[in-house]
Amino acid sequence: MTESSAEAVASAATAAVASAAGAAGGWRRATGIAGVAIGVIATGAAAGVAIERMTVGRGMRRKARLALDSAGPYGTLRGTPGKAYADDGTELYYEVDEPDPGTTAAPARRRRLFGRKAPAPVTVVFSHGYCLNQDSWHFQRAALRGVVRTVHWDQRSHGRSARGAAQVERGEPVTIEQLGQDLKAVIDAAAPEGPLVLVGHSMGGMTVMALADQYPELIRERVVGVALVGTSSGRLGEVNFGLPVAGVNAVRRVLPGVLKALGQRAELVEKGRRATADLFAGVIKRYSFASRDVDPAVARFAERMIESTPIDVVAEYYPAFNDHDKTEALAHFADLPVLVLAGVQDLVTPSEHSEAIADLLPEAELVLVPDAGHLVILEHPEVVTDRLADLLTRAGAVPAGANVGGYGSTSSTAQPG
């Protein structure tokens, strides 16, 4: 994309929003731009991807829709449901998968950690990313089923959780700090005792950092391992999303106003979003995956999760990322087994951010996955699951001989970095 075309996209978005303020017809004209912009924002990026990149492979995307919508297995795993309540009353939905009887961690290790003969089982808590839901962990969940106790939850206003009460009732902005408090509420409800392993992808990783920042005693007393996947501890305002400098600057100048305006006309925008589904799918693929041989059904699975996030939720969350800075909170993980993993070609939270996290946690395992984008957990699940299983073994969450299986593969080229 050229600098002039990036500026043109930004100018067009500005004009569309201005026109929309005065007439419904302007809003209808804006829906094409809205569909494009929303697709980019929904993966954590900024508007302005070249049109030719978004219109490639329509036949493949149609095939993927049919494959997943009719018989796709992704996102079908369900556990025992539960509800937690945030401090503002927001209902948070979670599911628990219990281990099979007889599957336990190494007894000597757990006695040393918790000083009792029959400790509570280790619970692995998975936190998902922006505009996704708990089903984004499908492959890892399938591999760990029956091996270890897991909790998967939907962040506020995502998936099956309720809309954020503070946002709907009082118009308060979403903050990463609030997400950390929400995670604490889920832990209190779903895993009130026993050791914990915290796993977070993208925004979910930031949620884990926010938990540590606000509840260091929980980390010190109960957490035995942490996995931070495709995430960042701060400075997200400097990410260029693969765009030239002029394009990034233009997008940053107009994006907050565009999102706010679109969020106020959510119903109309959602219609435009559906009308631009092909463009939307192209944007998602660019900002989610890097390899060429991603299963089309997996790409469609990601698309469905992202497109299910309402535009007003997209707008509510976006400003929180520029404010996010939890670098100092990483110190609370210094004495724990930690996995830091990222896709080398991640355009949303670049792998350099994961390297920066690992620099502050010198004992952490850093895994950089070539030919992988932001949704590395779906793109190369075999790599993520392998390294996560190793972390769980090091943390004493599963026995060294446990059979942590895979659940298919979306490509044949992935290798640990």
Side-chain angles (χ1 to χ4, degrees):
M1 186 178 203
T2 64
E3 295 187 6
S4 60
S5 62
E7 292 281 6
V9 170
S11 298
T14 305
V17 172
S19 174
W27 275 100
R28 285 189 290 272
R29 289 192 298 274
T31 54
I33 293 174
V36 175
I38 293 164
V40 180
I41 302 308
T43 53
V49 175
I51 294 298
E52 67 269 17
R53 292 298 298 272
M54 294 188 289
T55 56
V56 167
R58 289 182 179 177
M60 178 176 288
R61 286 198 295 276
R62 281 193 292 270
K63 180 181 178 181
R65 292 190 189 102
L66 290 173
L68 179 61
D69 294 348
S70 63
Y74 309 121
T76 59
L77 300 178
R78 300 269 66 90
T80 302
K83 296 177 182 178
Y85 292 89
D87 55 8
D88 65 349
T90 300
E91 185 178 278
L92 304 169
Y93 178 83
Y94 66 83
E95 294 180 358
V96 179
D97 290 346
E98 298 288 354
D100 291 337
T103 302
T104 57
R109 167 68 168 166
R110 290 170 63 185
R111 280 201 295 272
R112 287 198 303 271
L113 284 172
F114 300 100
R116 58 181 181 178
K117 293 182 179 180
V122 176
T123 300
V124 186
V125 183
F126 288 84
S127 299
H128 68 77
Y130 180 43
C131 296
L132 300 173
N133 59 54
Q134 62 175 270
D135 292 341
S136 62
W137 295 105
H138 177 86
F139 290 102
Q140 294 71 40
R141 184 173 187 172
L144 293 174
R145 273 199 146 182
V147 178
V148 65
R149 187 176 194 267
T150 61
V151 172
H152 294 78
W153 69 292
D154 293 327
Q155 304 245 28
R156 63 172 53 216
S157 302
H158 289 72
R160 293 173 174 82
S161 285
R163 287 295 309 275
Q167 288 70 57
V168 173
E169 297 170 7
R170 300 188 294 277
E172 295 179 4
V174 175
T175 65
I176 302 299
E177 288 73 19
Q178 177 66 69
L179 303 186
Q181 294 164 23
D182 291 352
L183 175 54
K184 177 61 161 56
V186 170
I187 290 172
D188 288 346
E193 62 175 355
L196 302 167
V197 175
L198 304 176
V199 183
H201 168 247
S202 190
M203 183 179 75
M206 302 174 205
T207 300
V208 170
M209 296 176 211
L211 176 77
D213 188 43
Q214 297 172 92
Y215 305 99
E217 69 287 349
L218 175 68
I219 307 301
R220 184 172 58 253
E221 296 171 3
R222 296 185 57 195
V223 175
V224 297
V226 176
L228 302 171
V229 181
T231 191
S232 172
S233 62
R235 304 181 69 176
L236 286 169
E238 300 175 10
V239 175
N240 65 15
F241 305 109
L243 299 176
V245 174
V248 172
N249 291 339
V251 165
R252 287 175 180 158
R253 186 167 61 248
V254 304
L255 193 53
V258 169
L259 276 176
K260 183 177 180 180
L262 295 180
Q264 293 171 347
R265 293 294 188 97
E267 183 177 351
L268 183 58
V269 172
E270 293 298 340
K271 293 180 181 178
R273 190 174 177 180
R274 291 189 293 271
T276 56
D278 266 352
L279 298 183
F280 185 72
V283 176
I284 290 175
K285 187 171 183 180
R286 168 168 168 74
Y287 281 93
S288 298
F289 307 110
S291 52
R292 294 179 179 273
D293 57 347
V294 173
D295 183 343
V298 170
R300 173 59 179 162
F301 173 45
E303 179 187 343
R304 289 182 66 180
M305 281 191 289
I306 293 170
E307 70 185 6
S308 70
T309 307
I311 179 56
D312 46 344
V313 173
V314 175
E316 285 172 2
Y317 268 81
Y318 184 74
F321 300 115
N322 279 342
D323 297 334
H324 167 63
D325 184 355
K326 291 293 177 287
T327 303
E328 293 184 2
L330 295 173
H332 297 298
F333 304 141
D335 298 326
L336 298 172
V338 176
L339 168 66
V340 181
L341 186 147
V344 172
Q345 298 183 55
D346 189 335
L347 298 176
V348 179
T349 51
S351 59
E352 290 81 5
H353 287 236
S354 289
E355 293 182 82
I357 292 172
D359 286 344
L360 295 173
L361 298 170
E363 299 302 314
E365 178 186 20
L366 174 64
V367 178
L368 301 180
V369 186
D371 199 25
H374 189 57
L375 294 188
V376 61
I377 59 177
L378 294 175
E379 187 172 14
H380 295 307
E382 65 282 5
V383 179
V384 178
T385 300
D386 176 75
R387 302 325 305 149
L388 183 57
D390 182 73
L391 172 72
L392 296 179
T393 300
R394 288 188 287 129
V398 298
N403 181 20
V404 177
Y407 192 89
S409 173
T410 62
S411 74
S412 57
T413 61
Q415 296 292 331

